[in-house]
Structures are given as C-alpha cells and as structure tokens.
C-alpha cells in the first residue's frame, strides 16, 4: 500500500518531467543543424557555469524546504513552515541577484578557462563571454520560482511544480528555435548571436514558470492561511528564524551539492576534453564537447524522467516515514523505488546501446560527426542507469538525514572524475571522458547503496534477485532488437533517408518493448514492481 502511494504521488511529476525532457531533447533536432556541433559546444560552455550557479543561488533550499514543510506538517505545525517560506522570498531574491552579478562579472574568467583556441573555430573568446552573460539573467528569477515549488511540494501538491515545469520548458524552447531560425536564416547568420539568444531563453522560461506558481499559490492561499492560523503559536512559543534557518541550511547545503552531480561532471568534461584531445594530437575537440554534452546527453536523460520525479517526491515522503519512526513504510518506499528505477532504466539504456546508429541517424542525420556521435551515444547510453539510481539513492539518504554520506560519496566520485579524465582521454581517445564518468558515478553510487543498507537496515536480497531477472529479460530484448534491426538494415541497404529509417526503428523499439514486458508479465515481475494493473490474470 505504501509503495503504491509513493507511485500515486509521483505520477504528475513523472509525466511533467518526461514531457519537459522530451521537449528539452526534441528541440536539439532542429537546433543542431542551425548552429552546428560547435554551436552546441558554445552553448555548453555558457550553460554549464549557469547550472552550477543555479545550485549556488538556491543553496538546495527548494527541496530542503519541501522536506522542512513535510516534517512540520507531520507534526501539525503549519505556522512554522509558512513563516520560513515567507522569509525565504527576500532571501532567494537576494541570492539570485548576487549569483547574477557573480556570473555576469566573472564571465571573462570562465571563458578563459573554458575556451581553447584552435583551427577552424566558429566562435571565439568574446562569444563565450557574451553567451555566459546572457544566460546569467535567468538567475534573477529561478531561485524564487524554486522556493515556491519546494513549498508546494511540502504540501504533497506536485501539480503546480509539474505544470510550471512544462510551461517553463515550452516558453524556453519556443524562443530558442524562433530566435535561432530568424538569426541564421533571415538575420546576420551569426552563430554565436543565435546561441546567445538560446541561452537567454532560460530567463523567459523562468518567467513563465513563476507565473504558473503564483497562480496556483493564490488559488490555494485561503486554505494555506487557514491551516497556518489553526496552528499559530504565541510569539513566545514560536521558533526563532535564526534557529529555523540553521535547520534549513543543514538540509539545504548538502542537497545543493548533491544536486550538482551531473552538471559538475559535465563541466569537467567541457573544460578538459579539448585540451586533452589537443595534447593527444586529436581533432574535433569542440565537436565532441557538443556531441557528448548536448546530443548524446539529452538522449540518455529521457529515461531519467521517472528518477527525477521520484527524487523530488522521495525527500518529503521518506522524511515523513523517518520522523514518524514507521520502519515498515520506510523499507517499502526504498524497495519500491529501487525496483521501479531498475525495471525501466536498464532495458531503456541497453536498448539505446543496441539502436545507437538508427537513433542518431534519425535524429541528427549523417552529418560530419556522424560516426563520432553514434559511438558516443552507444558508449554513453548505459550511464543512464548510474544517473538514475544515484539520484534516488541521494534523495533516500537526504530523507533519512544522512546528507553527509551523499556529499562524501559525490566528493569521492568527483575527485576520481577530475583526476582521471585528462589521462584517460590521452590514453584512450575522446571516449576516455565517458569511462571516467562511469568510474566516478559508479564509486559514488556504490557508497550510497552501502550507506542506505547500513543506516536504514535495508536488505538488498530482493533487489539483487530482481536485478538479475531484469538483466536476463534485458538480454533477451537486446537479442530480439538486434536481430530485427539487423534484418531491417540489410533490407534497407545503405541509401536510406532519415524519414525512411523511422519505421524500421520504431518496429525494432516496439519489438523490444513487447519482448521485455511479455517476459516481465509472464514472470509476475511487472506486477510486483509496477502494481496490480500489470499482474497476470
């Protein structure tokens, strides 16, 4: 029952996150030919410092606030949580302004670190500075928007966050594509200018997302204030704000750092790849940055939609179970989370591994970096499993007040990534950057898994058995997909268009889904993991 409640609470966020990721991925299909791989590389150089600064500006407050609100609601104290929310608005406005100024003014320094001059450059140092400065404006809006999301999530209301996520993404992507299309086809044709406007779209998207949250908050304000008034304490009995912020920051700082895991790994790649490839005598450094951090990365993030939604839902949910001391519910939530994530991400990632060539060709065509793109996607696809499981294990630890374990594991993973990336690229070529991501995230994940087992007293026997079963079914799926696509490939021949490859690709994907779910249903695994609807009658 507890597991099914967790899944019920995750549905809206899962759908919204999936839609957001699909929109955020699909725009790359028209955007990539407009600005090219180097344009995507320039976009990464601007967007990665911004992603880091978002986490610094919000300090992990949104998810920490959802945990804080959930905790005090469980104790029947709505007043304390609401006071913290109100006082957090000017705080987030202030941190957003400071973060904006830091990123805007430090743009030349960041550009100097990230930009490596080379032959055939389509952008230069000043262009990197320009892109970083344009994206920095979004920092004025996002901290407050994130605070409001966290407060609503603490009420177990995921719909406001879901709707705001989708609208934010729609506004952002629409502006990116319209601006890039007009500049490249009817304007100056200046690629760095098009990329700059693409990053500025984050500001406009944030405005749209904030407008949605304000609407939802105003519509529920009467109910919220009624609950607050019912639990309002005397001035003497109230907790003081400094004490409240001390508790919130103890939640927030670790959350902020752990939330930076993927952006920090990507930033290491963006600032290391080209220098290491130049040292190894390899070309296409800027192109590889664009392919790895944008094209391939956005594809592998699609199966992570469920993990992202679960991560947001898990912190307040597990906090409630942990604070109330309900060990049975806690164990059920953890078991259900592991099962669902593994059941979906393992077949999805290895399906992408097998079908890397038709997926990449269908999405991006046979461009100059086609071989590089296909191999990058193939090697990078299974990292989805590590990203997804790491996200939920970090959330489980945070919900159990074991933030230090999550931080320590990430630090160790980052040290490994930072120390090995340059060497691995020199030794093994560009794909060495991917191998170090596996090493860093793999070690961090192993430490999280160990910490959960130790501090929650969690028995991994069931998870281990079901992972083996999932792996067996995934292997059968890969064989079926490989045979079907291989036969289709022979039948199609070499001269096939991007549209022409769509039907055999979808047939191969459909066959894989049918094989995997047939085995899952017949073995009763799907029913145990996904609920009664998937049980064999």
């Amino acid at each position: 029952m507890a597991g099914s409640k967790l899944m019920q609470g995750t549905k809206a966020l899962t759908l919204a996150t999936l839609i957001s990721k699909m929109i955020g991925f699909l725009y790359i299909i028209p955007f990539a030919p407009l600005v090219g791989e180097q344009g995507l590389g320039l976009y990464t150089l601007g967007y990665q410092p911004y992603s880091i600064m978002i986490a610094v500006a919000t300090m992990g407050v949104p998810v920490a606030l959802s945990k804080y609100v959930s905790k005090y609601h469980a104790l029947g104290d709505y007043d304390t949580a609401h006071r913290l929310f109100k006082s957090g608005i000017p705080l987030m406005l202030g941190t957003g302004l400071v973060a904006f100024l830091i990123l805007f003014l430090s743009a030349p320094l960041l550009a100097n670190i990230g930009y490596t001059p080379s032959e055939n450059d389509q952008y230069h140092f000043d262009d990197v500075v320009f892109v970083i400065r344009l994206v920095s404006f979004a920092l004025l809006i996002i901290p407050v928007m994130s605070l409001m999301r966290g407060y609503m999530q603490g009420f177990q209301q995921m719909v406001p966050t879901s709707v705001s996520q989708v609208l934010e993404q729609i506004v952002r992507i629409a502006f990116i594509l319209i601006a890039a299309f007009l500049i490249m086809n009817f304007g100056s044709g200046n690629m760095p200018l098009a990329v700059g406007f693409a990053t500025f779209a984050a500001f406009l998207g944030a405005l749209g997302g904030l407008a949605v949250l304000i609407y939802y908050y105003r519509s529920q304000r009467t109910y919220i204030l009624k609950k607050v008034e019912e639990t309002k304490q005397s001035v003497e009995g109230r907790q003081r704000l400094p004490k409240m912020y001390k508790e919130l920051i103890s939640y927030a700082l670790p959350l902020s750092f752990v939330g930076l895991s993927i952006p920090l790994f990507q930033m290491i790649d963006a600032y290391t790849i080209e220098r290491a490839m130049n040292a190894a005598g390899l070309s296409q450094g800027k192109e590889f940055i664009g392919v790895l951090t944008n094209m391939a990365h956005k594809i592998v993030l699609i199966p992570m939609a469920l993990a992202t939604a679960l991560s947001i839902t898990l912190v307040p949910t597990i906090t409630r179970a942990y604070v109330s001391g309900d060990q049975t519910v806690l164990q059920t939530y953890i078991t259900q989370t592991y099962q669902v994530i593994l059941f979906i991400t393992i077949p999805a990632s290895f399906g992408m591994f097998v079908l890397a060539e038709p997926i990449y060709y269908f999405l991006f065509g046979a461009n100059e970096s086609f071989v590089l793109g296909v191999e990058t996607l193939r090697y990078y696809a299974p990292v989805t499993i590590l990203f997804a499981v790491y996200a939920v294990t970090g959330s489980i630890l945070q919900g159990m007040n074991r933030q230090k374990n999550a931080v320590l594991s990430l630090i160790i993973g980052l040290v490994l990534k930072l120390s090995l990336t340059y060497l691995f690229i020199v030794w093994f070529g560009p794909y060495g950057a991917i191998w170090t991501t596996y090493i860093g995230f793999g070690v961090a994940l192993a430490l999280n898994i160990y910490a959960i087992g130790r501090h929650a007293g969690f028995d991994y026997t069931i998870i281990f058995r079901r992972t083996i079963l999932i792996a067996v079914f995934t292997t059968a799926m890969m064989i079926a997909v490989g045979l079907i696509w291989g036969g289709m490939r022979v039948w199609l021949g070499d001269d096939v268009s991007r549209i022409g490859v769509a039907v055999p690709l979808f047939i191969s994907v459909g066959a894989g889904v049918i094989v995997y779910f047939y085995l899952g249903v017949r073995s009763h695994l799907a029913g145990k993991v996904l609920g009664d609807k998937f049980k064999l009658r």
Side-chain angles (χ1 to χ4, degrees):
M1 181 66 70
S4 99
K5 273 182 73 180
L6 175 63
M7 294 309 299
Q8 287 285 338
T10 309
K11 281 181 181 177
L13 270 179
T14 302
L15 181 60
T17 307
L18 182 59
I19 293 171
S20 297
K21 287 189 182 297
M22 287 299 296
I23 296 171
F25 159 70
L26 289 174
Y27 91 92
I28 285 289
I29 299 173
F31 186 60
L34 284 172
V35 301
E37 284 86 357
Q38 286 207 23
L40 293 177
L42 174 59
Y43 184 89
T44 298
L45 289 176
Y47 218 80
Q48 288 307 317
Y50 160 74
S51 298
I52 305 296
M53 197 56 69
I54 284 177
V56 173
T58 59
M59 299 181 294
V61 166
V63 180
L65 184 64
S66 73
K67 174 177 178 175
Y68 190 99
V69 171
S70 180
K71 172 185 173 180
Y72 281 92
H73 285 184
L75 298 173
D77 186 357
Y78 286 77
D79 178 51
T80 297
H82 190 66
R83 288 176 57 227
L84 188 62
F85 167 65
K86 288 196 301 182
S87 67
I89 293 175
L91 174 66
M92 289 293 97
L93 287 171
T95 59
L97 176 61
V98 171
F100 160 73
L101 291 173
I102 291 173
L103 188 58
F104 189 92
L105 297 175
S106 65
L109 175 62
L110 293 169
N112 189 53
I113 296 172
Y115 175 68
T116 303
S118 59
E119 294 182 8
N120 303 318
D121 278 359
Q122 296 174 23
Y123 64 87
H124 304 285
F125 174 82
D126 290 341
D127 298 322
V128 181
V129 174
F130 172 71
V131 168
I132 293 173
R133 284 182 167 168
L134 275 186
V135 76
S136 65
F137 283 92
L139 291 166
L140 296 170
I141 305 292
I142 285 183
V144 172
M145 179 179 69
S146 300
L147 179 78
M148 293 191 71
R149 284 177 177 170
Y151 186 64
M152 301 302 281
Q153 288 159 19
F155 275 88
Q156 297 298 297
Q157 295 182 14
M158 305 301 173
V159 172
T161 294
S162 304
V163 177
S164 72
Q165 276 182 350
V166 173
L167 185 65
E168 178 188 3
Q169 194 76 300
I170 290 173
V171 172
R172 186 176 75 89
I173 298 309
F175 185 81
I176 286 175
L177 294 180
I178 292 170
F181 179 78
L182 292 176
I183 291 171
M184 298 305 294
N185 290 283
F186 299 100
S188 62
N190 186 318
M191 181 272 285
L193 180 64
V195 173
F197 271 89
T199 57
F200 182 72
F203 172 76
L204 300 176
L207 283 177
L210 180 61
V212 169
L213 291 166
I214 291 174
Y215 167 79
Y216 273 103
Y217 177 76
R218 286 174 63 88
S219 67
Q220 299 180 32
R221 188 168 180 268
T222 302
Y223 165 77
I224 292 171
L225 292 182
K226 181 182 177 183
K227 285 285 189 182
V228 170
E229 196 63 33
E230 288 173 353
T231 61
K232 200 167 187 177
Q233 301 172 12
S234 64
V235 175
E236 294 78 13
R238 284 181 171 183
Q239 287 196 53
R240 296 187 179 277
L241 280 175
K243 182 181 178 182
M244 293 162 65
Y245 273 108
K246 181 179 179 181
E247 181 179 0
L248 183 68
I249 290 171
S250 72
Y251 298 156
L253 290 181
L255 285 166
S256 175
F257 186 62
V258 173
L260 282 171
S261 56
I262 293 177
L264 285 171
F265 271 68
Q266 281 202 296
M267 196 165 186
I268 291 171
D269 285 336
Y271 286 1
T272 306
I273 285 172
E274 190 170 9
R275 286 186 173 87
M277 288 179 67
N278 287 344
L282 301 169
S283 59
Q284 290 190 300
K286 286 183 172 63
E287 288 78 2
F288 182 60
I289 292 172
V291 167
L292 176 63
T293 60
N294 271 287
M295 293 172 162
H297 185 71
K298 288 188 181 296
I299 295 173
V300 304
L301 284 185
I302 292 174
M304 265 198 71
L306 178 63
T308 304
L310 275 172
S311 299
I312 295 171
T313 311
L314 271 172
V315 174
T317 303
I318 286 188
T319 297
R320 188 177 299 105
Y322 190 78
V323 170
S324 63
D326 194 334
Q327 191 68 15
T328 302
V329 171
L330 180 64
Q331 299 292 321
T332 302
Y333 282 148
I334 295 174
T335 301
Q336 185 74 1
T337 300
Y338 272 127
Q339 289 183 146
V340 172
I341 287 297
L342 294 172
F343 188 81
I344 292 174
T345 57
I346 290 177
S349 61
F350 282 100
M352 287 190 290
F353 176 87
V354 174
L355 295 173
E357 182 180 358
I359 290 173
Y360 195 89
Y361 180 63
F362 172 67
L363 295 174
F364 305 115
N367 52 33
E368 295 179 359
S369 305
F370 177 70
V371 175
L372 179 68
V374 170
E375 294 304 302
T376 300
L377 177 58
R378 177 168 288 124
Y379 298 141
Y380 196 58
V383 83
T384 304
I385 303 167
L386 297 182
F387 285 166
V389 183
Y390 178 83
V392 296
T393 55
S395 295
I396 290 169
L397 287 171
Q398 290 155 17
M400 294 165 50
N401 283 328
R402 293 290 174 179
Q403 295 93 331
K404 291 181 180 179
N405 293 95
V407 170
L408 178 62
S409 69
L410 179 57
I411 290 173
I412 293 172
L414 282 170
V415 169
L416 288 170
K417 172 71 177 176
L418 186 61
S419 60
L420 295 175
T421 297
Y422 188 94
L423 292 174
F424 269 51
I425 292 174
V426 172
W427 292 343
F428 306 115
Y431 306 120
I434 298 176
W435 312 145
T436 57
T437 296
Y438 280 106
I439 293 171
F441 258 104
V443 170
L445 175 58
L447 292 171
N448 279 2
I449 290 172
Y450 170 77
I452 291 170
R454 179 182 176 187
H455 297 295
F458 186 73
D459 185 356
Y460 281 96
T461 303
I462 292 177
I463 302 301
F464 179 71
R465 289 175 180 170
R466 289 182 180 168
T467 302
I468 292 176
L469 201 55
I470 290 169
V472 171
F473 295 164
T474 299
T475 302
M477 178 210 71
M478 291 172 65
I479 293 171
V481 169
L483 290 173
I484 292 171
W485 169 249
M488 294 275 190
R489 186 74 179 82
V490 173
W491 175 65
L492 287 170
D494 295 327
D495 189 17
V496 61
S497 67
R498 289 173 64 182
I499 301 300
V501 83
V503 173
L505 173 59
F506 292 149
I507 290 174
S508 301
V509 172
V513 171
I514 291 170
V515 168
Y516 183 76
F517 271 95
Y518 174 78
L519 294 172
V521 171
R522 293 296 300 179
S523 66
H524 304 286
L525 178 64
K528 293 174 182 175
V529 173
L530 301 178
D532 293 341
K533 291 182 181 179
F534 294 89
K535 282 185 177 179
L536 185 64
R537 302 298 179 186

